PDB file of all heavy atoms in Angstrom:
ATOM      1  N   GLY A 114     102.339  63.906  99.817  1.00 50.00           N
ATOM      2  CA  GLY A 114     103.004  64.655  98.757  1.00 50.00           C
ATOM      3  C   GLY A 114     103.615  65.975  99.182  1.00 50.00           C
ATOM      4  O   GLY A 114     104.061  66.739  98.343  1.00 50.00           O
ATOM      5  N   ARG A 115     103.651  66.290 100.489  1.00 49.00           N
ATOM      6  CA  ARG A 115     104.239  67.562 100.919  1.00 49.00           C
ATOM      7  C   ARG A 115     105.742  67.551 100.709  1.00 49.00           C
ATOM      8  O   ARG A 115     106.399  66.549 100.872  1.00 49.00           O
ATOM      9  CB  ARG A 115     103.935  67.824 102.383  1.00 49.00           C
ATOM     10  CG  ARG A 115     102.482  68.187 102.602  1.00 49.00           C
ATOM     11  CD  ARG A 115     102.243  68.552 104.018  1.00 49.00           C
ATOM     12  NE  ARG A 115     102.390  67.354 104.836  1.00 49.00           N
ATOM     13  CZ  ARG A 115     102.341  67.352 106.158  1.00 49.00           C
ATOM     14  NH1 ARG A 115     102.167  68.459 106.815  1.00 49.00           N
ATOM     15  NH2 ARG A 115     102.478  66.232 106.819  1.00 49.00           N
ATOM     16  N   ARG A 116     106.271  68.709 100.349  1.00 50.00           N
ATOM     17  CA  ARG A 116     107.703  68.845 100.091  1.00 50.00           C
ATOM     18  C   ARG A 116     108.370  69.480 101.295  1.00 50.00           C
ATOM     19  O   ARG A 116     107.896  70.456 101.843  1.00 50.00           O
ATOM     20  CB  ARG A 116     107.887  69.734  98.856  1.00 50.00           C
ATOM     21  CG  ARG A 116     109.324  69.933  98.451  1.00 50.00           C
ATOM     22  CD  ARG A 116     109.387  70.463  97.031  1.00 50.00           C
ATOM     23  NE  ARG A 116     110.523  71.177  96.611  1.00 50.00           N
ATOM     24  CZ  ARG A 116     111.788  70.976  96.914  1.00 50.00           C
ATOM     25  NH1 ARG A 116     112.123  70.057  97.740  1.00 50.00           N
ATOM     26  NH2 ARG A 116     112.752  71.697  96.414  1.00 50.00           N
ATOM     27  N   GLN A 117     109.485  68.907 101.707  1.00 52.00           N
ATOM     28  CA  GLN A 117     110.272  69.444 102.810  1.00 52.00           C
ATOM     29  C   GLN A 117     111.120  70.604 102.294  1.00 52.00           C
ATOM     30  O   GLN A 117     111.798  70.467 101.285  1.00 52.00           O
ATOM     31  CB  GLN A 117     111.187  68.343 103.367  1.00 52.00           C
ATOM     32  CG  GLN A 117     112.194  68.806 104.383  1.00 52.00           C
ATOM     33  CD  GLN A 117     111.550  69.164 105.714  1.00 52.00           C
ATOM     34  OE1 GLN A 117     110.589  68.542 106.116  1.00 52.00           O
ATOM     35  NE2 GLN A 117     112.068  70.164 106.370  1.00 52.00           N
ATOM     36  N   GLY A 118     111.083  71.748 102.961  1.00 57.00           N
ATOM     37  CA  GLY A 118     111.889  72.896 102.561  1.00 57.00           C
ATOM     38  C   GLY A 118     113.349  72.695 102.925  1.00 57.00           C
ATOM     39  O   GLY A 118     113.673  71.905 103.797  1.00 57.00           O
ATOM     40  N   GLU A 119     114.211  73.412 102.237  1.00 61.00           N
ATOM     41  CA  GLU A 119     115.633  73.332 102.545  1.00 61.00           C
ATOM     42  C   GLU A 119     116.206  74.738 102.579  1.00 61.00           C
ATOM     43  O   GLU A 119     115.628  75.617 103.180  1.00 61.00           O
ATOM     44  CB  GLU A 119     116.349  72.440 101.534  1.00 61.00           C
ATOM     45  CG  GLU A 119     115.922  70.989 101.668  1.00 61.00           C
ATOM     46  CD  GLU A 119     116.718  70.046 100.798  1.00 61.00           C
ATOM     47  OE1 GLU A 119     117.901  70.318 100.554  1.00 61.00           O
ATOM     48  OE2 GLU A 119     116.154  69.039 100.376  1.00 61.00           O
ATOM     49  N   CYS A 120     117.291  74.977 101.888  1.00 70.00           N
ATOM     50  CA  CYS A 120     117.990  76.255 101.926  1.00 70.00           C
ATOM     51  C   CYS A 120     117.347  77.282 100.996  1.00 70.00           C
ATOM     52  O   CYS A 120     116.668  76.932 100.041  1.00 70.00           O
ATOM     53  CB  CYS A 120     119.444  76.057 101.514  1.00 70.00           C
ATOM     54  SG  CYS A 120     120.313  74.865 102.541  1.00 70.00           S
ATOM     55  N   SER A 121     117.618  78.545 101.302  1.00 77.00           N
ATOM     56  CA  SER A 121     117.170  79.646 100.456  1.00 77.00           C
ATOM     57  C   SER A 121     118.362  80.547 100.179  1.00 77.00           C
ATOM     58  O   SER A 121     119.228  80.705 101.024  1.00 77.00           O
ATOM     59  CB  SER A 121     116.085  80.474 101.162  1.00 77.00           C
ATOM     60  OG  SER A 121     114.986  79.670 101.478  1.00 77.00           O
ATOM     61  N   ALA A 122     118.375  81.157  98.998  1.00 80.00           N
ATOM     62  CA  ALA A 122     119.431  82.100  98.642  1.00 80.00           C
ATOM     63  C   ALA A 122     118.804  83.465  98.409  1.00 80.00           C
ATOM     64  O   ALA A 122     117.618  83.559  98.088  1.00 80.00           O
ATOM     65  CB  ALA A 122     120.160  81.632  97.381  1.00 80.00           C
ATOM     66  N   PHE A 123     119.593  84.518  98.608  1.00 82.00           N
ATOM     67  CA  PHE A 123     119.075  85.866  98.371  1.00 82.00           C
ATOM     68  C   PHE A 123     120.167  86.765  97.818  1.00 82.00           C
ATOM     69  O   PHE A 123     121.358  86.487  97.968  1.00 82.00           O
ATOM     70  CB  PHE A 123     118.488  86.474  99.652  1.00 82.00           C
ATOM     71  CG  PHE A 123     119.521  86.757 100.713  1.00 82.00           C
ATOM     72  CD1 PHE A 123     120.200  87.971 100.750  1.00 82.00           C
ATOM     73  CD2 PHE A 123     119.813  85.808 101.673  1.00 82.00           C
ATOM     74  CE1 PHE A 123     121.148  88.231 101.718  1.00 82.00           C
ATOM     75  CE2 PHE A 123     120.766  86.053 102.658  1.00 82.00           C
ATOM     76  CZ  PHE A 123     121.431  87.267 102.682  1.00 82.00           C
ATOM     77  N   THR A 124     119.727  87.849  97.179  1.00 90.00           N
ATOM     78  CA  THR A 124     120.622  88.878  96.667  1.00 90.00           C
ATOM     79  C   THR A 124     120.026  90.228  97.011  1.00 90.00           C
ATOM     80  O   THR A 124     118.818  90.437  96.878  1.00 90.00           O
ATOM     81  CB  THR A 124     120.762  88.784  95.137  1.00 90.00           C
ATOM     82  OG1 THR A 124     121.248  87.486  94.800  1.00 90.00           O
ATOM     83  CG2 THR A 124     121.687  89.844  94.593  1.00 90.00           C
ATOM     84  N   VAL A 125     120.873  91.149  97.451  1.00 93.00           N
ATOM     85  CA  VAL A 125     120.479  92.539  97.649  1.00 93.00           C
ATOM     86  C   VAL A 125     121.294  93.346  96.653  1.00 93.00           C
ATOM     87  O   VAL A 125     122.528  93.309  96.669  1.00 93.00           O
ATOM     88  CB  VAL A 125     120.757  93.014  99.092  1.00 93.00           C
ATOM     89  CG1 VAL A 125     120.420  94.495  99.251  1.00 93.00           C
ATOM     90  CG2 VAL A 125     119.998  92.164 100.099  1.00 93.00           C
ATOM     91  N   LEU A 126     120.614  94.037  95.755  1.00 94.00           N
ATOM     92  CA  LEU A 126     121.299  94.831  94.732  1.00 94.00           C
ATOM     93  C   LEU A 126     121.871  96.105  95.340  1.00 94.00           C
ATOM     94  O   LEU A 126     121.400  96.573  96.386  1.00 94.00           O
ATOM     95  CB  LEU A 126     120.340  95.146  93.598  1.00 94.00           C
ATOM     96  CG  LEU A 126     119.828  93.910  92.841  1.00 94.00           C
ATOM     97  CD1 LEU A 126     118.794  94.322  91.799  1.00 94.00           C
ATOM     98  CD2 LEU A 126     120.978  93.168  92.191  1.00 94.00           C
ATOM     99  N   PRO A 127     122.877  96.700  94.714  1.00 95.00           N
ATOM    100  CA  PRO A 127     123.544  97.889  95.280  1.00 95.00           C
ATOM    101  C   PRO A 127     122.582  99.011  95.661  1.00 95.00           C
ATOM    102  O   PRO A 127     122.742  99.632  96.717  1.00 95.00           O
ATOM    103  CB  PRO A 127     124.493  98.331  94.161  1.00 95.00           C
ATOM    104  CG  PRO A 127     124.760  97.103  93.377  1.00 95.00           C
ATOM    105  CD  PRO A 127     123.486  96.299  93.451  1.00 95.00           C
ATOM    106  N   GLU A 128     121.577  99.237  94.835  1.00 96.00           N
ATOM    107  CA  GLU A 128     120.658 100.338  95.133  1.00 96.00           C
ATOM    108  C   GLU A 128     119.800 100.089  96.374  1.00 96.00           C
ATOM    109  O   GLU A 128     119.246 101.022  96.949  1.00 96.00           O
ATOM    110  CB  GLU A 128     119.765 100.659  93.921  1.00 96.00           C
ATOM    111  CG  GLU A 128     118.958  99.507  93.398  1.00 96.00           C
ATOM    112  CD  GLU A 128     119.657  98.683  92.327  1.00 96.00           C
ATOM    113  OE1 GLU A 128     120.896  98.760  92.165  1.00 96.00           O
ATOM    114  OE2 GLU A 128     118.948  97.947  91.633  1.00 96.00           O
ATOM    115  N   ALA A 129     119.742  98.858  96.838  1.00 95.00           N
ATOM    116  CA  ALA A 129     118.938  98.542  98.019  1.00 95.00           C
ATOM    117  C   ALA A 129     119.777  98.327  99.274  1.00 95.00           C
ATOM    118  O   ALA A 129     119.229  98.176 100.363  1.00 95.00           O
ATOM    119  CB  ALA A 129     118.086  97.299  97.752  1.00 95.00           C
TER     120      ALA A 129
END
Side-chain angles (χ1 to χ4, degrees):
R115 288 185 291 175
R116 181 164 157 37
Q117 172 72 35
E119 292 187 31
C120 303
S121 301
F123 67 88
T124 302
V125 176
L126 297 176
E128 57 270 17

